[in-house]
Amino acid sequence: MSEESRSFRTAAVIPAAGRGVRLGPGAPKALRALNGTPMLVHAVRAMAASRSVSLVVVVAPPDGATEVKNLLAEHALPDRTDLLVVPGGESRQESVKLGLDALPPGFDVVLVHDAARPLVPVDTVDAVIEAVRDGAPAVVPALPLADTVKQVEPRTDGSPEPVVATPERSRLRAVQTPQGFDHATLVRAHESVTENVTDDAGMIEQLGLPVVVVPGHEEAFKVTRPLDLVLAEAVLARRRANDGF
Ligand code: CTP
Ligand code: MG
């Protein structure tokens, strides 16, 4: 197929199978409510908000696929967006793989987006897709760091940890999602990279392929600890106020 005739059909895989241990006791993190709506519903809407995304694959907690299906059926998506729900695995990497396995043929671009980043703006989603369409095999949205970062010799006994190095902050970026990929390249990465990685682009790096960064957004932060719930609800309240509700 020539470049011109490619339609670049785009699917989004949303790993949502984690427990959310750092958030504290309660339902699996993706099912916890933000201003009355489950985090996962916000995340699915954030992907469906892009006109380029025609399929969203949700990777549910292993024993919760039916519950997630029912939940998502209650919340309308745009007509242009199809939805699939599959059960996830033990690790994030495994969950993403299970989501990729469920993709029907015909998608050129795949986004992988954490359910735990429910508030990413559509402009960030579209910027990632556009950079993949422009030829990058892997694209990550990222922001400069506010804090200086120290590399340490980790200690588990509670004693002070020795500092090993201080990487130059201006060269560091905090990476968010959605990360965008050429579909075939991401499938190949999941077939050949077995080491544990904390993001999908890391697998592309291990294949020796280029990964590029586009600007991330402060509202694409990951809901990880209890204070992040407060921040997420404040962002939603600000959006409501600005939308004139
Ligand atoms: N995830 C997943 N399958 C797993 C583990 C994580 O699909 N086995 C997903 C989470 O649901 C989340 C994303 O990967 O949307 C990012 O992971 P993280 O923020 O670490 O979420 P949890 O693993 O749920 O949180 P914690 O590490 O605090 O338990
Ligand atoms: Mg985790």
Side-chain angles (χ1 to χ4, degrees):
M1 219 188 289
S2 75
E3 274 307 296
E4 288 74 25
S5 67
R6 286 184 70 178
S7 58
F8 289 109
R9 290 187 72 215
T10 301
V13 172
I14 303 186
R19 290 245 8 105
V21 171
R22 287 170 289 178
L23 207 51
K29 179 159 73 177
L31 304 183
R32 303 269 286 251
L34 293 178
N35 283 8
T37 304
M39 204 179 305
L40 175 61
V41 172
H42 290 285
V44 171
R45 283 181 181 156
M47 294 300 103
S50 168
R51 304 196 67 83
S52 304
V53 173
S54 53
L55 171 67
V56 176
V57 179
V58 171
V59 188
D63 54 357
T66 306
E67 183 188 350
V68 164
K69 257 180 219 164
N70 294 338
L71 182 76
L72 291 170
E74 291 167 22
H75 297 272
L77 283 181
D79 279 344
R80 62 170 184 270
T81 319
D82 291 327
L83 184 68
L84 279 174
V85 179
V86 297
E90 282 299 308
S91 66
R92 183 185 180 283
Q93 196 174 346
E94 204 182 317
S95 294
V96 172
K97 172 81 163 66
L98 290 164
L100 285 177
D101 289 346
L103 275 186
F107 288 94
D108 311 285
V109 178
V110 179
L111 303 179
V112 180
H113 180 61
D114 292 331
R117 298 182 190 271
L119 304 181
V120 61
V122 68
D123 288 353
T124 306
V125 181
D126 284 334
V128 169
I129 295 170
E130 195 182 326
V132 181
R133 287 175 171 179
D134 285 347
V139 179
V140 298
L143 289 176
L145 271 68
D147 295 327
T148 293
V149 172
K150 301 281 185 199
Q151 188 182 338
V152 299
E153 199 58 66
R155 292 276 162 83
T156 48
D157 58 4
S159 63
E161 298 178 320
V163 169
V164 175
T166 305
E168 193 186 330
R169 190 175 69 189
S170 65
R171 293 170 63 92
L172 298 176
R173 299 289 180 268
V175 170
Q176 304 176 325
T177 73
Q179 300 190 351
F181 303 91
D182 168 65
H183 182 196
T185 307
L186 185 60
V187 168
R188 185 151 66 88
H190 271 271
E191 278 162 1
S192 53
V193 176
T194 49
E195 281 159 73
N196 215 25
V197 289
T198 54
D199 77 335
D200 304 280
M203 309 178 95
I204 306 298
E205 291 163 54
Q206 287 188 29
L207 290 183
L209 294 171
V211 176
V212 297
V213 167
V214 298
H217 196 285
E218 60 178 351
E219 293 183 2
F221 69 95
K222 190 167 73 159
V223 175
T224 305
R225 288 173 281 266
L227 192 60
D228 298 323
L229 290 172
V230 178
L231 180 59
E233 293 199 326
V235 169
L236 285 169
R238 183 175 68 177
R239 283 186 186 174
R240 274 181 167 246
N242 290 346
D243 289 350
F245 279 104

